[in-house]
Amino acid sequence: MHTKKINTASNFLIGIGFVVFAIIILNTSVLTLSTISWLFGIAFIVAGIGNIISYILESLFTDDKKTTIKMALINLGTGIIILLTPNMQISVFGIICGIYAIVIGVVRGINYILYRNNHVNGRFINLILCIFFIAYGGLLMFSPLLRIGTVLNIIAVYFILYGLTYLRDGIREIIPNRHKNTIKRKIRISLPVFLVALVPRAVLSEVNSYLEPKEEGRVNAKPDFKETKLDVVPDVEVFVHVTEEGYGAIGHVDLRIDDTVITYGNYDASSYKLFDSIGDGVLIQANSEQYIPFVIKDSKKTLFGFGLNLNELQIKGVHQKLAEIKSNIYEWHPPAYTNDPEKDFYATRLRHDVEAKFFKFNSGKFKTYFVAGTNCVLLADQIIGAAGLDLIGINGIITPGTYYEYLNNEFASSNDLVISKNIYQ
């Protein structure tokens, strides 16, 4: 009960905070950005003065100097530049927003091309959004001061929606459990992709700081850390993978249903395009007892597993959606294992070490994998959408970090959808 009260209070405080901040932005527009810029300038100057004081104290009382005059001068110089050129900071902010809009437009454009090639219905919305984001981003980059007010208003509206999401969570916390299942949640506004993309990597660093090192060679399908809300076996477990370096730092998502892992990805190396971000979409069904140790050992991954407790209707919906997806696949066989690191890519090693079947898609959106569009998270979200998860991808992109943030918050709540959190290393 105490944890529930804390979680309810935090949801209300965060939600109110975002809404109030958004209202301030709406009422002051560019003035708010100027104030923030001024505060950053002061902060850098204070940091520079602190560096000078630290340098003097370290010179007088210690032999180990961690602070340098160079660091102090950089902080002081940055602060002074920010204070003397407030319009430049606003322009830089506008240019950054313009670049972000263009990137989102390019992603939408690539999605449109892939969907057109695969004859996916509803693809024209991607084309329309592509043109809009690229056009607006270009205008913003070339005349940021003229359009910065509009950008801030959009950000303010976004903050209001994000704050309302937290307020809704707070209300759910105080509703008696017997009434919670009568509320069907449809949409959740998440943080922008660039803020949550590396959430799994940040969490991994925190986890590694307190988990004891594993005994050499001990890799199995049992969690190294386990926390539960209900003493029942989850009907579905959602795995969020993460590694210390490389693409794995952004993460990967797959599902365990019964004793089988369902995973989707860019697993055919012969089809890679655009810096390995595009390729044939491959669906894998693997034995979970063998799959978990394999990915931990082969890719040096840590897995965060969130267990879902579903009712009969939700379980039926999950299996129906999985059957619908599998009705459009054909079996694919990765190249044979050769024990040659240059020839044996991930799918080859997985096929050799794990009882698994590989499939490609005949048609549809999953026929072609795209890291920023039709990715592992989208397929997982399609399957367990029947379980009541309410994510919506801002700008059409759902990252593993978005999923981790949502599942972790659901586990912290009093809701009985996410009932367990496991860490596999």
Side-chain angles (χ1 to χ4, degrees):
M1 181 62 71
H2 181 64
T3 302
K4 177 180 175 180
K5 289 181 179 178
I6 292 174
N7 198 56
T8 302
S10 65
N11 281 329
F12 275 113
L13 288 173
I14 293 172
I16 292 171
F18 272 108
V19 172
V20 169
F21 184 58
I23 292 172
I24 292 173
I25 293 176
L26 285 173
N27 288 327
T28 59
S29 192
V30 177
L31 179 60
T32 301
L33 195 57
S34 299
T35 303
I36 294 173
S37 177
W38 181 81
L39 290 174
F40 268 107
I42 295 297
F44 273 107
I45 289 176
V46 170
I49 295 172
N51 292 148
I52 293 174
I53 295 173
S54 296
Y55 178 81
I56 294 172
L57 293 175
E58 289 171 2
S59 299
L60 293 175
F61 301 107
T62 68
D63 295 327
D64 183 18
K65 294 182 182 178
K66 297 181 179 179
T67 309
T68 64
I69 290 295
K70 181 180 179 181
M71 186 186 304
L73 293 176
I74 289 174
N75 283 329
L76 286 172
T78 302
I80 292 171
I81 291 172
I82 290 175
L83 292 178
L84 294 178
T85 57
N87 287 340
M88 186 181 75
Q89 317 312 318
I90 296 174
S91 297
V92 169
F93 177 77
I95 291 171
I96 291 173
C97 290
I99 293 172
Y100 181 67
I102 290 173
V103 169
I104 294 301
V106 170
V107 167
R108 284 292 190 174
I110 293 173
N111 275 324
Y112 168 74
I113 294 170
L114 296 178
Y115 284 5
R116 184 193 62 186
N117 293 342
N118 296 330
H119 308 290
V120 178
N121 293 328
R123 59 183 177 271
F124 287 103
I125 185 63
N126 283 289
L127 179 60
I128 293 170
L129 290 173
C130 167
I131 296 171
F132 169 77
F133 278 113
I134 290 178
Y136 187 75
L139 290 172
L140 194 58
M141 285 186 64
F142 290 106
S143 55
L145 285 174
L146 295 179
R147 294 173 176 81
I148 198 67
T150 304
V151 173
L152 289 173
N153 289 336
I154 294 172
I155 292 173
V157 172
Y158 171 80
F159 279 158
I160 289 174
L161 295 174
Y162 188 65
L164 290 177
T165 299
Y166 271 93
L167 291 175
R168 185 178 62 180
D169 287 346
I171 293 172
R172 288 177 67 239
E173 289 295 312
I174 60 178
I175 295 176
N177 284 326
R178 64 179 180 275
H179 296 309
K180 285 188 176 179
N181 290 333
T182 64
I183 298 178
K184 184 64 176 177
R185 301 167 71 200
K186 297 293 184 182
I187 295 175
R188 164 175 290 269
I189 303 299
S190 63
L191 287 170
V193 61
F194 67 90
L195 291 179
V196 293
L198 293 178
V199 164
R201 175 63 180 82
V203 174
L204 177 59
S205 296
E206 183 179 346
V207 165
N208 286 340
S209 67
Y210 70 81
L211 274 185
E212 294 183 1
K214 182 181 294 186
E215 295 177 12
E216 186 68 26
R218 186 178 71 84
V219 180
N220 53 47
K222 302 297 182 182
D224 298 274
F225 171 85
K226 185 173 184 178
E227 189 175 358
T228 60
K229 291 197 295 189
L230 292 178
D231 190 18
V232 297
V233 177
D235 300 291
V236 174
E237 189 168 12
V238 184
F239 294 120
V240 179
H241 303 222
V242 62
T243 62
E244 292 277 357
E245 301 174 351
Y247 280 123
I250 297 175
H252 173 76
V253 171
D254 50 35
L255 308 173
R256 172 159 59 181
I257 302 174
D258 299 324
D259 294 324
T260 302
V261 169
I262 308 296
T263 184
Y264 171 80
N266 193 14
Y267 295 123
D268 183 0
S270 65
S271 68
Y272 287 172
K273 300 175 183 176
L274 197 62
F275 309 106
D276 300 351
S277 66
I278 296 175
D280 291 348
V282 177
L283 180 75
I284 302 174
Q285 292 184 172
N287 178 284
S288 61
E289 292 296 313
Q290 299 172 349
Y291 175 82
I292 295 172
F294 169 81
V295 296
I296 293 173
K297 184 176 180 179
D298 183 82
S299 306
K300 306 296 186 293
K301 287 183 174 180
T302 294
L303 274 61
F304 297 92
F306 294 91
L308 308 185
N309 180 39
L310 311 180
N311 58 39
E312 292 184 6
L313 185 61
Q314 291 171 323
I315 294 173
K316 183 179 178 181
V318 166
H319 284 282
Q320 285 180 340
K321 188 62 182 180
L322 180 58
E324 178 187 328
I325 290 173
K326 290 169 65 176
S327 67
N328 187 35
I329 58 177
Y330 64 93
E331 192 163 3
W332 171 70
H333 300 283
Y337 184 76
T338 64
N339 199 25
D340 183 345
E342 295 185 0
K343 296 180 180 179
D344 292 337
F345 54 90
Y346 181 82
T348 297
R349 299 191 300 273
L350 179 62
R351 180 190 182 193
H352 180 265
D353 292 351
V354 177
E355 181 183 341
K357 290 186 176 181
F358 300 76
F359 304 91
K360 288 189 177 183
F361 288 81
N362 293 301
S363 60
K365 67 172 63 176
F366 294 110
K367 180 177 175 60
T368 303
Y369 173 94
F370 176 40
V371 68
T374 308
N375 58 16
C376 59
V377 188
L378 184 62
L379 186 127
D381 187 60
Q382 293 270 307
I383 295 173
I384 58 178
L389 273 74
D390 55 357
L391 285 171
I392 180 170
I394 300 301
N395 299 322
I397 304 173
I398 306 178
T399 68
T402 308
Y403 241 59
Y404 179 91
E405 181 199 29
Y406 171 67
L407 293 169
N408 199 51
N409 288 340
E410 281 293 302
F411 179 66
S413 75
S414 60
N415 184 23
D416 289 340
L417 174 60
V418 181
I419 60 169
S420 65
K421 179 179 180 180
N422 299 325
I423 300 176
Y424 305 81
Q425 278 193 325

